[in-house]
Amino acid sequence: METEHIVKSFDEELLKLDNMVVEMGGLAESQLTDAISALVRRDAELAGRVVAKDRRIDDIEIEIHNFVLRLLATRQPVAVDLRIILASLKISSSLERIGDYAKNIAKRTTPIAKVPAMGGTAQSIARMAAMVQGMIKNVLDAYINRDLDMAADVRARDEEVDQMHTSLFRELLTYMMEDPRNITAATHLVFTAKNVERIGDHATGIAEQVHFMVAGELPGEMRPKSDNASFTVVEAE
């Protein structure tokens, strides 16, 4: 009976860890949603709330870190249980970075709102962000359900995010070349688009940790990458 009690208690602790990760992921997803909404609506007040709420995500990461250390010390987990605990720790780190990128997007809303809107670039970033938001939601579902196929799908979708980022980068460079008055807004939008692209990378990294949890190894094939912004050249006419 004592052994059964110990096993049940450990299972409850693993469930608590799952719930902490999902709560953190939900907050990170919400932060990205609000940050993009603030950008599109040019809403500095909403952007300020996003910045202020980032602290809660940081706090949960610390809680997960401490909880994991206690589990490792007291339970001495092995096999799949150990993989779950280690992957959850890495996933929490990725979610914290997603929160940071959402906060950075919100911070750039204030200067962007002070200059005239530039075409439909904010809406284009919003479309890219919507895809990334879907990746976050699906990868959290993959984590909870230990679903390899769903994790693999998230990993594959990152390539399309990269392509959208490259296209946006070229578009924003063109705006800067056409009129120097666009440089301030375009520069902030370049960094905003890059933040969204990096969030996609972190969602993909979480998918790889889900694969590790379930299969006991990281995916064998290289992650598909199509972000060519670093090599983009726009010729002056």
Side-chain angles (χ1 to χ4, degrees):
M1 289 297 293
E2 183 179 355
T3 301
E4 291 180 6
H5 174 73
I6 292 172
V7 170
K8 181 180 179 182
S9 177
F10 187 29
D11 287 344
E12 289 172 350
E13 287 175 326
L14 291 177
L15 179 59
K16 179 179 179 181
L17 180 59
D18 279 352
N19 290 337
M20 293 167 73
V21 170
V22 170
E23 179 187 1
M24 188 179 182
L27 287 172
E29 184 183 351
S30 176
Q31 284 283 85
L32 176 59
T33 299
D34 288 346
I36 295 300
S37 178
L39 174 71
V40 172
R41 291 158 46 187
R42 304 164 72 83
D43 187 336
E45 183 178 344
L46 176 57
R49 292 201 296 272
V50 171
V51 173
K53 289 164 74 173
D54 180 64
R55 180 64 187 176
R56 177 55 186 153
I57 295 177
D58 295 342
D59 289 343
I60 298 177
E61 186 197 17
I62 293 171
E63 291 173 16
I64 290 174
H65 180 83
N66 292 336
F67 191 67
V68 163
L69 288 180
R70 185 169 67 79
L71 286 179
L72 292 173
T74 60
R75 298 298 188 181
Q76 298 181 342
V78 296
V80 65
D81 292 335
L82 178 60
R83 296 201 304 269
I84 290 171
I85 292 170
L86 294 179
S88 296
L89 185 62
K90 289 192 174 183
I91 288 170
S92 70
S93 178
S94 290
L95 291 172
E96 189 275 335
R97 292 300 298 141
I98 289 174
D100 282 348
Y101 284 121
K103 178 177 68 175
N104 290 344
I105 292 169
K107 284 182 175 180
R108 292 188 183 277
T109 292
T110 299
I112 289 171
K114 292 179 179 178
V115 296
M118 201 166 43
T121 50
Q123 287 73 19
S124 296
I125 291 174
R127 284 192 293 273
M128 182 168 67
M131 178 172 293
V132 170
Q133 287 164 341
M135 291 170 66
I136 297 171
K137 180 183 182 303
N138 287 348
V139 84
L140 290 172
D141 287 344
Y143 168 79
I144 285 296
N145 297 311
R146 313 299 195 236
D147 190 324
L148 278 176
D149 290 337
M150 186 173 288
D153 180 67
V154 170
R155 199 164 176 263
R157 288 170 65 187
D158 188 52
E159 188 171 13
E160 188 172 350
V161 175
D162 289 342
Q163 292 168 351
M164 293 176 73
H165 175 247
T166 299
S167 176
L168 263 168
F169 185 77
R170 291 181 60 86
E171 180 181 349
L172 289 163
L173 283 183
T174 302
Y175 273 118
M176 285 189 270
M177 293 173 65
E178 288 176 346
D179 189 342
R181 290 173 296 183
N182 290 330
I183 289 175
T184 295
T187 300
H188 284 293
L189 288 167
V190 163
F191 283 110
T192 298
K194 184 61 180 177
N195 286 335
V196 174
E197 187 271 334
R198 289 295 294 134
I199 291 173
D201 284 345
H202 280 286
T204 304
I206 294 172
E208 291 173 350
Q209 289 303 314
V210 172
H211 190 283
F212 168 72
M213 284 170 52
V214 178
E217 61 183 6
L218 291 171
E221 69 278 7
M222 292 291 292
R223 179 192 304 187
K225 292 294 293 179
S226 297
D227 183 10
N228 297 314
S230 299
F231 310 103
T232 298
V233 175
V234 178
E235 300 289 345
E237 296 182 359

